[in-house]
Amino acid sequence: MAVFESPFGDIRTSDLSITERVFEGMQNRDAVTLIDGVTAREWTAGELADSVKSFAGGLAERGFGKGHVIALMAPNIPEFFTIFHGAAWAGATVTTVNPTYTAHELQYQLNDAGADLLVTVPAFVETATAGVEGTKVKEIVVIGEAEGAVPLSEYMGAPLAAQAPVDVAEDVVALPYSSGTTGLPKGVMLTHRNLVVNLDQIMPVGRIEPGEVTPAFLPFFHIYGLEVLLNLYLAAGARLVTMPRFDLEQFLRQVQEHRAKKLWIVPPVAIALAKHPMIDQFDLSSVEQVNSAAAPLGADLAEAVGKRLGCHATQAYGMTEMSPASHVTPLPDARAGSVGQTVPGTRCRIVDSETGADLGPGEEGELWVQGPQVMKGYLNNPDATAKTLTADGWLKTGDVAMFDEDGFLFIRDRVKELIKYKGFQVAPAELEAEILTHPGVADAAVIGIPDPEAGEVPMAFLVPAPGASPTEEEIATHLSDRVAHYKQVHKFAFVDAIPKSASGKILRRVLRDQVAAG
């Protein structure tokens, strides 16, 4: 077995709960820790800790402790911390829900997760009311006030002084649902230890400094926003400005006002940072690093971001099933196109998906990962768990990847999304990265479409840049010298927007459905 070990060595696991671990970075009770980016309201570490313990006390008084599931459907606001960690402090499990879900989607997750209680905001109470029908949810709690829901203030009880007893290695604290690009979304069971160890794996490489500030638009209901921003920054004694949704102007304004040093983004935002004229209207000189994750980012686009902002533009890699990080780029050792090096305590393999053989440096295959941050499994889905986790704990990521001789990882594409053209494999992400180097293209997505002769051929969906009108011939000519003949795009479509998940992943199934529908 050819195993790629972490260059950062091993990691010591902890017996702390996730909230105890985050509280370690919140010792200065007077330090401003969360700022509401819309209202400018500030929360100190002491106020946050007190709110967590009070909500935990209220839950305990009502019997919502260990063995119970609290659903949280809210945008990025400071109270998200109170609800998540209050439930965790009470020993419960939190299933985080995408606030844009319909009642039908909400109902599915509530039933699958076995949720007993739903916490939301006034704007979503109507959807929540419809979504809880036919579920175990006994009550809807609202952050604020709304007809038909119980105000959060009524759930704030006598503070629960200490963490409710939990088995940190076995008890599930977070139950996010995978994006569901294929089939129904799956509940990813993450334990206290999964989340705690991943913070300790990221910290020595991510180097978040106490007091450091960054705007947080990445949704907290997604593991990237929950762990890498909300938990990591507070555990490091740093500060967040919450943004309920991404707005480029507001994002840039927060970066300028708070002199942010590190930005955590997804590829669609990288495109804006590289190409949007608004960037030049703001002072972004404080930015030292822009880190993109959740989907592949082309080396040329990363270079364009770094050059325009005068900073390091890096990538990280992970997935919900890994809490989420397995690879982070250490500064100043960024390598073009790489998602970084393996975090401490983590082992990797590159496996030939057809033969099962282990591959070495410079060879492409499916990435397998083993480490203490790997999920417990999928809730209520032993078949999916068995297909993803081997008996000895290797997580099959489904991503085509390669390690270089120095242990830097390069993600090529999803195994199931590779386009099979006359026996050749074409990675959509590679083509998208090349297309985005054209100045007339603001965004792009590539899928394979059936072809009677070749099996599949690449088709590109393009969003023109503001004021630009690129033609199919221009894009084809642009690609002709940049990629091999079998990777050339055979069909183009110009669209207003590329469908993406909340984490920035291209929803290729939506595009395939559009093509199939004619």
Side-chain angles (χ1 to χ4, degrees), residues 333-461:
D333 300 324
R335 191 157 297 187
S338 169
V339 295
Q341 294 177 300
T342 310
V343 297
T346 304
R347 310 166 77 217
C348 299
R349 293 163 63 189
I350 300 295
V351 178
D352 187 308
S353 56
E354 294 185 3
T355 67
D358 280 284
L359 305 174
E363 298 181 293
E364 293 185 3
E366 184 181 9
L367 173 67
W368 290 17
V369 176
Q370 185 186 68
Q373 75 271 45
V374 171
M375 69 170 180
K376 188 174 181 178
Y378 293 119
L379 181 70
N380 305 326
N381 203 330
D383 289 342
T385 300
K387 291 177 181 177
T388 304
L389 283 177
T390 67
D392 52 351
W394 287 97
L395 174 72
K396 302 176 183 179
T397 68
D399 283 318
V400 178
M402 178 204 76
F403 278 100
D404 69 11
E405 294 288 349
D406 298 318
F408 281 85
L409 182 69
F410 296 78
I411 300 295
R412 298 310 191 201
D413 218 313
R414 297 289 295 170
V415 171
K416 294 179 181 179
E417 291 180 349
L418 290 175
I419 300 167
K420 307 296 178 61
Y421 175 82
K422 293 184 177 180
F424 292 101
Q425 293 187 334
V426 180
E430 178 188 3
L431 274 176
E432 288 155 3
E434 295 295 348
I435 291 170
L436 285 170
T437 62
H438 191 286
V441 178
D443 203 357
V446 174
I447 63 170
I449 58 173
D451 182 83
E453 181 182 347
E456 286 184 309
V457 295
M459 176 179 180
F461 294 79

Side-chain angles (χ1 to χ4, degrees), residues 216-231:
F217 70 87
L218 298 169
F220 294 157
F221 75 81
H222 189 273
I223 192 63
Y224 185 4
L226 176 67
E227 182 79 341
V228 179
L229 285 172
L230 191 61
N231 287 341

